[in-house]
Structure formats: C-alpha cells, structure tokens
C-alpha cells in the first residue's frame, strides 16, 4: 500500500512540476488527478498537500534564477553589498503579491469549501483559454512596451497583482496564466511577463504553504511526511525542465497553444464528470 502511494505521489509531482509554470493550472490538474487517482490520505492533509507540493516548484525558480534574484553581493571586489536594482525588483514583486495575499488570508477557507471542485476548474480552464487567444490576437501586430523586467513600474506590478487575484479565488484559472495575461494586456513582452510571474511565485507560494501548514497543524504521520518530501522533490526536478522549456518556447511562439489546450481539456472535464 505504501509503495502504491509513493508511485502516485511521484505522478503528482510530475504533473505539478509541468503545470505550475505552463499557464494551464497546476491546482486544476491536481484536483482532476485526485478524482481519477486519489491519494489515500485525509481531506485535511490533501488540502495542505495541494499547496505545499508547490514549494518544490518554487525552489526550482530560486535555483534557476539565483544570480538574478539574490539581492546581496557576495564578492569582495564589489563596491556595494546591496544590489539595489534587485532590491527594487523585489519591492515591485511584493507590491504585486499584496492583493492575492489579502484575498488568501480572509477567504481561504470559503474558497476551499465552495470553489475547489471540478465544475469551477473546467469553466475556468475554458474561460482563461479563450482569454489567452483573444489577448494574443489583439497583441499580434503591437510591439511590446516593456522588454526588460526592470522597466516594470509599481503601477504595472499592481495591475499584474490584481490579475493574480482571479487565480487566487477560482481554481483552474492558473496563477501563471492570470499574471501572464495581465502582463500581456499592459504591453509586457512575453518572456518578461513569464519571468516576472516566476518571481512572483516565490513569496506567494511560500506564504500560501505556511498558511496551509499552520491550519493543518504539525501532527503529521511518517507516511504523510514522506509523501510531502517525495512530491516536492519530484516537482522540483520537473520544474527545472519546465521553466527552461517555457522561456525558450515563448521567445518564438505566442501563448495561444496553451489557450487551445485549456479549452479542449475544460470540455473533456465537463463531459467526464457529467457522464460520471
């Protein structure tokens, strides 16, 4: 039995690692996967696992972008210990995270109780997929206004943060999907929008994970602990590959393929649960 649960966890980690960074909704995929292949755990642990497994994906961002996000100089020859350009970037990231953080703190339990279901996931997969296609078509002949991440203003960061609120409320939206769409709508170049989304994930996921862990408590069994560790490690390894893939892909392609994927998957989900 324990071996089977670990195999399931590995599959969950692979799905999380791929879908966390591609704008197709990791939470939505995990909820759907749980309907097909549920882990043999309590409801409380599952709610916590669904969020905490994202820590592995976050660690992949930290490792991949370490030289760009660490705000302190570590070499002796540098004139200043603080990298002020990186500190400025982090300030904008925090500003972008505030709206979703407020929603998460006050509405987390209500969202879990009323919106974490297959119907909401399917509808949001379809709606956000359509949004990707519309936004990309509208931007087709428009050159981006922002081509470097340091050109993002505090106003831009706040607008992207407001887009992230949709993902915080409706599972199936995709946090990366909502923030990338928000970035594209205000004229941010695709690669820059993707990178800013990756950086935003660090405080968002750390905060969400801590919130879930404290709500669940620390009375965790050895098997549950093993499931968490395995899920996070697998998600970390797969995320490294997914991040590199997405950044290379959007250099020469738009996001419409993800929009079409979301629409098809959304209708499949609706049909599956309707027949079921």
């Amino acid at each position: 039995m324990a071996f089977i649960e670990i195999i399931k966890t590995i599959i969950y980690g692979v799905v999380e690692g791929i879908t966390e960074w591609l704008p197709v909704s990791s939470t939505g995929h995990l909820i759907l996967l749980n309907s097909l292949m549920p882990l043999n755990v309590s409801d409380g642990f599952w709610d916590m696992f669904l969020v905490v497994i994202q820590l592995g994906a976050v660690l992949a961002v930290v490792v991949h972008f370490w030289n760009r996000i660490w705000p302190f100089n570590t070499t002796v020859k540098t004139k200043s210990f603080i990298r002020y350009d990186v500190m400025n970037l982090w300030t904008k990231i925090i500003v972008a995270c505030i709206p979703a953080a407020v929603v998460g703190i006050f509405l987390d339990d209500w969202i879990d109780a009323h919106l974490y279901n297959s119907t909401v996931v399917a509808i949001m997969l379809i709606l956000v997929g359509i949004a990707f296609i519309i936004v990309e078509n509208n931007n087709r002949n428009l050159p981006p206004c922002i081509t470097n991440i340091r050109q993002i203003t505090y106003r831009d960061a706040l607008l992207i943060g407001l887009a992230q609120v949709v993902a915080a409320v409706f599972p199936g939206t995709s946090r990366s999907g909502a923030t990338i769409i928000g970035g594209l709508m205000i004229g941010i170049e695709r690669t820059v929008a993707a990178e800013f989304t990756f950086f935003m994930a660090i405080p968002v996921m750390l905060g969400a994970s801590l919130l879930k862990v404290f709500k669940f408590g620390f009375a965790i069994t050895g098997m549950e602990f093993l499931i968490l560790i395995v899920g996070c490690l697998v998600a970390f390894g797969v995320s490294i590959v997914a991040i590199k893939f997405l950044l290379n892909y959007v250099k020469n392609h738009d996001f419409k393929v993800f929009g079409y994927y979301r629409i098809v998957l959304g209708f499949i989900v609706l049909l599956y649960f309707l027949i079921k």
Side-chain angles (χ1 to χ4, degrees):
M1 181 65 71
F3 176 75
I4 294 175
E5 295 307 310
I6 294 302
I7 295 299
K8 290 180 184 178
T9 303
I10 291 173
I11 296 173
Y12 275 76
V14 171
V15 172
E16 164 62 26
I18 294 173
T19 59
E20 184 60 53
W21 306 115
L22 305 186
V24 294
S25 176
S26 64
T27 301
H29 278 74
L30 291 179
I31 290 174
L32 300 175
L33 184 60
N34 187 55
S35 299
L36 301 171
M37 188 185 65
L39 285 173
N40 187 23
V41 295
S42 67
D43 291 341
F45 178 81
W46 165 249
D47 289 340
M48 188 260 289
F49 174 81
L50 194 61
V51 175
V52 175
I53 191 176
Q54 297 174 349
L55 287 177
V58 165
L59 183 59
V61 172
V62 173
V63 170
H64 185 80
F65 292 102
W66 179 258
N67 291 330
R68 293 182 55 189
I69 63 174
W70 182 244
F72 305 108
N73 284 312
T74 55
T75 58
V76 178
K77 296 181 181 180
T78 54
K79 295 181 180 180
S80 174
F81 177 64
I82 299 175
R83 298 170 64 188
Y84 290 101
D85 57 335
V86 179
M87 292 293 289
N88 185 44
L89 173 62
W90 272 110
T91 305
K92 295 172 183 175
I93 291 169
I94 298 302
V95 168
C97 293
I98 290 174
V102 172
V103 170
I105 291 172
F106 291 102
L107 296 179
D108 184 61
D109 291 336
W110 185 88
I111 293 170
D112 285 348
H114 295 87
L115 298 177
Y116 267 71
N117 58 72
S118 57
T119 302
V120 174
V121 168
I123 291 173
M124 295 311 299
L125 281 169
I126 295 169
L127 291 180
V128 177
I130 293 172
F132 261 119
I133 296 170
I134 292 173
V135 170
E136 284 288 17
N137 284 338
N138 288 340
N139 288 358
R140 183 168 46 197
N141 298 317
L142 297 176
C145 302
I146 298 172
T147 57
N148 186 291
I149 200 165
R150 288 178 175 78
Q151 294 177 316
I152 293 176
T153 65
Y154 286 100
R155 175 182 175 275
D156 297 332
L158 183 59
L159 290 174
I160 295 172
L162 291 174
Q164 184 175 232
V165 171
V166 180
V169 174
F170 298 103
T173 298
S174 169
R175 189 198 57 78
S176 61
T179 53
I180 288 173
I181 287 177
L184 294 176
M185 289 179 67
I186 60 177
I188 299 178
E189 192 266 334
R190 294 187 188 94
T191 303
V192 176
E195 288 183 352
F196 193 72
T197 292
F198 295 158
F199 299 159
M200 283 176 64
I202 299 173
V204 167
M205 293 182 186
L206 285 175
S209 296
L210 287 174
L211 181 63
K212 288 292 185 182
V213 168
F214 279 112
K215 286 187 175 182
F216 178 76
F218 295 93
I220 187 170
T221 67
M223 186 61 195
E224 289 173 339
F225 181 75
L226 182 60
I227 287 174
L228 276 180
I229 294 299
V230 171
C232 287
L233 288 176
V234 174
F236 167 77
V238 176
S239 288
I240 291 288
V241 178
I243 289 168
K244 293 179 180 179
F245 165 78
L246 183 62
L247 290 177
N248 287 327
Y249 179 85
V250 298
K251 288 178 181 178
N252 301 305
H253 304 83
D254 59 30
F255 286 99
K256 285 196 289 186
V257 65
F258 300 111
Y260 292 123
Y261 169 81
R262 294 178 62 101
I263 293 169
V264 171
L265 180 62
F267 279 112
I268 290 174
V269 171
L270 284 175
L271 288 173
Y272 171 79
F273 285 100
L274 181 63
I275 295 172
K276 185 178 178 181

